[in-house]
Amino acid sequence: MTGPARLDLVVRGGTVVLESGTLAADVLVRGGRVAGLVGRGTVEAGRARVVDAEGALVLPGGVDVHTHIGITFGEHRTRDDFASASRAASFGGTTTLLEFAFPEAGESPAEAVRRRIGEAVGACWTDIGFHAAVVGEAGPDSLADVEVAARLGCPSVKVFTAYRGLMMLELGDVLAVMCAAARARSLVMVHAETESLVERATAELHAHGRGGSGDHARARPPGAELDAARSVLELARQAGAWVYLVHVTLPEVAAEIATARARGTAAHAETCPHYLVLDESVYDGRCPERFVCSPPLRAPHAVRGLWRSLGAELTGIHSDHCCWDSTQKAASADDSSRVPPGLPGVETRLPLMISQALAGRLALTDVVRLCAAAPARLFGLPAKGSLLPGMDADVVVVDPAARATIGELHMATDYSPFEGMEVRGRVDTVVAGGRVLIERGAWVAEEPGGRFLRRHRLPRATAAT
Ligand code: URP
Ligand code: ZN
Ligand code: ZN
């Protein structure tokens, strides 16, 4: 055996999963980074801490670019904060979070970014970065803040075509944000649903004495998502902006992305685990309000189509984590338009996708690509999403033989939309930046050591990107 000096940690005996394939290797960690991948047992650990990964899969820590932690939405506030959400994320093998900085009343987008960074640093167990957001209207100061946010290390900006009076921008304002983002080499993330179509569908349900949570899929119809997606893809083409559709639920939207790309638009998109493993039948079951999210869960044929778009038009799977509890959800259950939208899921995202892989629905290398590597590239995080030497030592050890039923979790809520679901594989040990957070299922970290991630800007969008 040979051995470089001063290793801090060795993850011993596992099967390392890279985007390009799997290999039997030990992961050497020094100074918070991967120092090498070497043949099993070929390097002495010396005084380094050893994590036993015999028989286990070893993945890079998950990168979740779509979370809502400790946010206010209308009169509601999510139950979690940066400490609890990042701890729960860790239990699910996610070690990098990209969270939104929604401006509060009277606050500019750049002020919101600075405030959110201040709130997260010192509280987060995982690394974290932020997206700026322009909500309500896009005045000149807000538009100028797209560049300010990029200079602060946040080269992405969120806009909504939905949620009138709260977040929604008119399409003219969306175009203005896209032009500012193109200049700043920043990515425009869009929640695409045409609000007037949602409002019309909801009003018709109400006129017939309906519109409770059981009608949620009818209240936000597929046409609203498709219409908005087409519009924003065209605006991105006009602006020459990078555009990213969040929480896509429809294969028809994926097809629009393919068309936009063929025309030279730098168009990307994600979906979420709930759109892949659940469908609209949950709205006919118990507590339908617990599944209220925008867009809603869709018909089984749409779910099947979405799976076919994975890895092509849909290059990421992210949680859209929103930590409401069952009491908050139940309070307005008889009117789905008043139920706080979104599902808790930062902890279950990666385990659900690993489980799908172990059941043969996609490759483990695809899980690494969709849940870590591709988003790390798109969102300007060159040290994340892989276990190749030089990368951040964010390491997740998974027992592929374990089986469990989703039940007790660590998120600051009392339910999961996936409760009772059987999953294959179990996250056993989690290392973030070389620090062991979880060992054999038990929390062992003492100090939150998550860092604020300053991200790289995108290249200029061209017809070739
Ligand atoms: O229903 C959802 N998705 N809630 C979270 C906010 C958003 O629209 O992403
Ligand atoms: Zn959204
Ligand atoms: Zn969201």
Side-chain angles (χ1 to χ4, degrees), residues 249-276:
T249 71
L250 300 169
E252 292 84 351
V253 170
E256 293 293 329
I257 291 164
T259 305
R261 283 183 187 169
R263 290 187 186 133
T265 303
H268 293 262
E270 65 173 29
T271 189
C272 310
H274 38 287
Y275 299 119
L276 293 168

Side-chain angles (χ1 to χ4, degrees), residues 162-237:
Y163 306 138
R164 192 186 302 282
L166 282 177
M167 311 287 204
M168 190 184 114
L169 291 186
E170 298 293 348
L171 288 185
D173 281 2
V174 171
L175 177 61
V177 172
M178 287 185 171
C179 292
R183 287 191 295 274
R185 292 190 287 124
S186 197
L187 179 65
V188 185
M189 304 171 75
V190 190
H191 173 135
E193 284 181 294
T194 299
E195 184 70 5
S196 59
L197 297 179
V198 170
E199 286 168 339
R200 169 57 66 129
T202 304
E204 280 180 8
L205 286 165
H206 286 168
H208 291 89
R210 302 188 58 169
S213 298
D215 278 324
H216 185 59
R218 285 175 279 275
R220 303 187 83 93
E225 184 180 342
L226 186 55
D227 179 68
R230 283 186 179 134
S231 296
V232 299
L233 289 167
E234 169 54 20
L235 297 182
R237 188 195 64 75

Side-chain angles (χ1 to χ4, degrees), residues 12-16 40 52-59 397-400 428:
R12 177 81 90 205
T15 299
V16 175
R40 288 175 180 158
D52 177 15
E54 194 86 40
L57 300 166
V58 181
L59 277 67
V397 178
V398 174
D399 175 358
D428 269 350

Side-chain angles (χ1 to χ4, degrees), residues 137-154:
E137 61 182 350
D141 292 347
S142 294
L143 294 175
D145 274 2
V146 175
E147 167 63 25
V148 178
R151 277 193 211 147
L152 291 169
C154 306

